[in-house]
Every structure is written in structure tokens, then in C-alpha cells.
Amino acid sequence: MILYFTPGACSQASHIALIEAGLPVETVKVDLRQHRTEGGDDFYAVNPKGYVPVLVLDDGTQMTENVAIIAWVAEQAPHLVPDVPLGRIRLIEQIGFMSSELHKPFLGHLFMPTDEAKAASRAACERRLATIAAQMEGDYAVGSRFSAADIYLYLMSSWAIASRFAIDPKLVAHRDRIAARPSVVAALKAEGLA
Ligand SMILES: N[C@@H](CCC(=O)N[C@@H](CS)C(=O)NCC(=O)O)C(=O)O
């Protein structure tokens, strides 16, 4: 299968999940400024939405959206589903929250035209990260052990820390723990970020 990714972008969550699941994946780097693949192809021809991640299975089946890709990966590797009642649903609930309510305001904070709008997006991200921290019962995003929800949370916390957002020390510790996982180290290396 092939994952279209951009180093350090949200596609990293799908990338880490695939490695964590032990699924064999080839990667194709995408230049999001030009919307071209590393081979020079028009990325809009691969994904008319124009964004990463895109996962193409060996039979040609294509998936977009981190939430869908991560949920699919967790179906292949049940240890990535949280160990709670309704585990699969809780996973989708949490990564859906991070995708729509955290990832988007984060990008807004970077690209909003006014300082006021940037500050509002930043405050929204800080509030939502605080919500996740308050919901954590132990060391993990959902339940009592590692799941795919931790991967997305790792990425969101990494972005927040890099942007010097005010976040709960619990999330900083979580981010550092997840960063040490071999899957994360391997994904960053493969993306040229190690
Ligand atoms: N809803 C999509 C959003 C993906 C997304 O925003 N990707 C960004 C990188 S983090 C991107 O490729 N942006 C380029 C563009 O929109 O042209 C998802 O969650 O997978």
C-alpha cells in the first residue's frame, strides 16, 4: 500500500498508525505548495481534495481523511483500539474531536489574517487540549493502555508545544512518552525529520 504524506503534516498520524500496526507501507512525499508528488505528478489527480494523507491499498482502493485511515488501520490491528466499552466508537469520537475541533483551529492559528483571529484559534486549541487532558484517566488518551488515539494526540500536542501554547504538563509528559515509541521514531526518520 502507498501513503501520500508531507513531512511533519497531519499525515504523520496515519503514518505512525500504519507502522504501529506493522503494515507494510511505501510512502510518496507530496509538496503541498506546488501540489505535486516527489515524482512530479499532479497531486490533485491523486486526491481532488488536494491534501494529505491519502492511503492507497494494494487493490487500488483509496482512502482519505486521517480519521478514516486511522480507524481502518485499527481494524487491521485491534491492539490500536482503546480498551474501553465501545472502544472503536470511543476511538472515532476522540480522533474525530481532534481532527475537526483541534487540527483545524490549529491551522487557523497559523494562517488567520489578523492577530485577533489568531489569538481566538489559539485559545480554542488550548481549551480543547485541556478538555482532552481532563478526560484522561491515566497515561493514555482513552482507556488504560496505548491506542491509536494516542498517536493523534501526540501530533496535536507536538504542534501545540512547538507553537508555545499553554498546555497541561500531563500532555507534555504524554507527548514525550509517545515520542519515544519505535513507531514514532521510525515515522520521523522516514519523513526525514529525525
Ligand atoms: N480533513 C483532512 C485534513 C487534512 C489536512 O488538512 N491536510 C493538510 C496538511 S496537515 C494539507 O494537506 N493541506 C494542503 C491543502 O489543503 O492544500 C484530514 O483530517 O485528513
Side-chain angles (χ1 to χ4, degrees):
M1 71 185 83
I2 299 172
L3 177 73
Y4 289 82
F5 80 103
T6 298
C10 59
S11 47
Q12 197 173 86
S14 289
H15 196 177
I16 295 168
L18 286 158
I19 295 173
E20 195 67 63
L23 294 170
V25 63
E26 289 169 36
T27 52
V28 173
K29 190 153 73 173
V30 178
D31 177 342
L32 289 175
R33 287 206 180 87
Q34 308 297 329
H35 289 94
R36 295 253 156 218
T37 68
E38 59 190 317
D41 296 328
D42 177 9
F43 183 54
Y44 284 111
V46 177
N47 180 13
K49 295 173 180 172
Y51 54 65
V52 292
V54 179
L55 184 66
V56 184
L57 304 187
D58 292 344
D59 67 0
T61 303
Q62 185 168 314
M63 269 174 256
T64 59
E65 305 299 324
N66 263 307
V67 172
I69 294 171
I70 294 170
W72 178 82
V73 172
E75 271 185 9
Q76 318 310 306
H79 68 280
L80 293 180
V81 175
D83 63 344
V84 293
L86 294 176
R88 206 173 143 269
I89 300 303
R90 296 299 175 209
L91 172 62
I92 293 169
E93 182 180 36
Q94 199 65 312
I95 61 178
F97 175 65
M98 289 189 258
S99 170
S100 57
E101 307 302 331
L102 196 46
H103 176 211
K104 286 297 159 185
F106 187 85
L107 295 179
H109 137 81
L110 292 179
F111 299 116
M112 286 289 180
T114 65
D115 286 348
E116 200 180 19
K118 280 184 204 293
S121 291
R122 182 188 182 103
C125 288
E126 288 176 346
R127 258 195 328 275
R128 286 160 190 170
L129 282 165
T131 300
I132 293 171
Q135 285 173 345
M136 284 169 71
E137 287 171 7
D139 287 347
Y140 298 100
V142 184
S144 66
R145 61 156 173 77
F146 177 81
S147 74
D150 293 294
I151 298 170
Y152 211 132
L153 180 56
Y154 154 79
L155 191 63
M156 293 298 103
S157 296
S158 295
W159 290 4
I161 291 164
S163 289
R164 298 176 184 279
F165 286 10
I167 72 169
D168 192 315
K170 194 158 67 166
L171 292 182
V172 178
H174 173 271
R175 187 243 166 233
D176 291 346
R177 269 196 313 280
I178 304 302
R181 292 182 76 86
S183 61
V184 177
V185 174
L188 265 63
K189 189 170 175 214
E191 295 193 3
L193 301 172

